Amino acid sequence: MKLLIRKYGDPALRIKGKPVAELDGSIRELAENMLETMRAANGIGLAAQQVGEALQLTVVDVSAVEDRPSTMTWNGREVNPNDHMPLVIINPQIETGTEKEIASEGCLSFPEISADVERAEWTKIEAQTLDGERVEIEATGLLARALQHEIDHLNGILFIDRMSSAAKSSLSSRLKRLQKETQRGLTTSRRPHAVQPAL
Ligand code: ZN
């Protein structure tokens, strides 16, 4: 089932996710729905906050992007990233290297907005998979960027918080407009429910 993607201005995006306590059927279903939602929107990552769930759960799939390569290790072994996509990442801990790289980035919660964002070139995460397996993943390239972007979401941090002030100020009128549109949508979608006659 496709879920509604929350846009900038929705308070759900700013809530730090709670750890997932139990990998039960509802978590499996949420992960499946998030993958379906991400694919339908042509995204390469989607965090639980973006579908209104404040949980430490995110999905990533960089396999469709050919011009921005990635490297990956899985429990210390070098692997082909595409063999491990899509990733369902639960309760991650992240470590990042000191070397930085600047590249263009977008976000499904900010339609048609992209900007250069500085991120660590290398990252290592420790997380649980949907099977409850503990895994250590090291990444560079697009995968490293996607993991940092998604894990930021899990902590209520958005890519605009990582932009240079120049980049952010050049987007400021578009950001304000998006925020207003989202907030207007939130009020109107609540209204019919509030006046619904009891039948
Ligand atoms: Zn995002």
Side-chain angles (χ1 to χ4, degrees):
M1 188 180 72
K2 250 177 25 178
L3 307 168
L4 176 74
I5 299 180
R6 306 303 182 95
K7 304 283 167 26
Y8 178 55
D10 190 319
L13 293 175
R14 288 298 190 182
I15 305 174
K16 186 177 159 76
K18 286 200 196 84
V20 174
E22 209 186 323
L23 298 173
D24 57 12
S26 68
I27 291 296
R28 260 165 236 285
E29 196 183 333
L30 176 61
E32 267 313 308
N33 289 339
M34 284 170 61
L35 285 168
E36 191 182 333
T37 307
M38 174 183 76
R39 289 188 186 117
N42 292 318
I44 62 166
L46 187 69
Q49 277 73 0
Q50 292 177 282
V51 296
E53 299 281 346
L55 288 171
Q56 295 286 322
L57 165 63
T58 179
V59 296
V60 169
D61 189 344
V62 295
S63 60
V65 186
E66 286 168 2
D67 58 346
R68 289 176 68 175
S70 306
T71 67
M72 182 183 190
T73 70
W74 183 271
N75 289 331
R77 214 165 48 88
E78 208 164 309
V79 293
N80 179 347
N82 291 350
D83 294 343
H84 288 267
M85 300 295 140
L87 288 169
V88 176
I89 293 159
I90 299 164
N91 300 333
Q93 300 291 323
I94 186 165
E95 219 183 285
T96 50
T98 49
E99 296 284 310
K100 305 284 183 193
E101 116 188 315
I102 294 174
S104 167
E105 210 170 294
C107 178
L108 292 177
S109 295
F110 294 77
E112 286 155 43
I113 290 176
S114 64
D116 281 349
V117 179
E118 187 181 82
R119 299 273 184 193
E121 210 173 43
W122 172 91
T123 187
K124 177 160 91 176
I125 68 159
E126 241 190 273
Q128 272 172 286
T129 66
L130 215 41
D131 306 318
E133 187 195 346
R134 288 218 70 88
V135 65
E136 193 180 276
I137 296 169
E138 284 175 72
T140 67
L142 184 61
L143 180 59
R145 179 167 293 273
L147 290 170
Q148 291 170 75
H149 179 115
E150 297 313 322
I151 293 171
D152 269 354
H153 271 301
L154 302 185
N155 294 307
I157 299 166
L158 300 173
F159 80 146
I160 51 170
D161 307 336
R162 303 281 190 195
M163 284 176 197
S164 67
S165 47
K168 200 178 163 184
S169 74
S170 73
L171 289 170
S172 78
S173 60
R174 293 173 72 189
L175 291 172
K176 275 196 197 113
R177 199 159 58 229
L178 173 59
Q179 196 171 28
K180 265 197 199 141
E181 269 170 30
T182 303
Q183 281 159 358
R184 212 167 29 233
L186 291 174
T187 12
T188 41
S189 63
R190 269 200 292 269
R191 202 182 300 138
H193 184 69
V195 297
Q196 198 75 34
L199 289 169

